[in-house]
Amino acid sequence: MRPATIVRSIQGCPSSEVPLDEIRLAALLATNEDAFPDEAALLRHLRRGRPVYMMMGEYRLRPEDQFRLVHCS
């Protein structure tokens, strides 16, 4: 189960919610291919409250999505 949005933080700017669509997910996986072999590994990492980095941005799940995904898994 994948959340619809993810929080993006760029240093010095306010955080914003952005859609977690197929394109963004593919970009996160491609940028972090050494750390995450597949989508499931990336989502497990996010569920644990850890960030994923792409370009100059840090991506995290919203706390309510993190809680929901952990307790529904």
Side-chain angles (χ1 to χ4, degrees):
M1 183 170 157
R2 186 175 66 205
T5 61
I6 193 165
V7 176
R8 177 179 61 191
S9 303
I10 298 176
Q11 188 173 13
C13 299
S15 299
S16 61
E17 284 188 37
V18 295
L20 183 59
D21 54 10
E22 294 296 325
I23 295 169
R24 191 171 316 273
L25 184 61
L28 285 168
L29 283 170
T31 303
N32 295 282
E33 65 186 348
D34 293 338
F36 310 112
D38 58 15
E39 178 181 337
L42 175 69
L43 290 176
R44 277 193 305 273
H45 182 81
L46 289 168
R47 272 196 315 242
R48 293 179 180 130
R50 299 179 185 140
V52 175
Y53 298 93
M54 180 172 67
M55 303 288 283
M56 298 197 51
E58 176 185 282
Y59 293 82
R60 292 182 175 268
L61 288 181
R62 296 180 312 161
E64 56 269 24
D65 285 337
Q66 180 184 344
F67 179 80
R68 183 173 49 85
L69 291 172
V70 167
H71 293 285
C72 291
S73 303

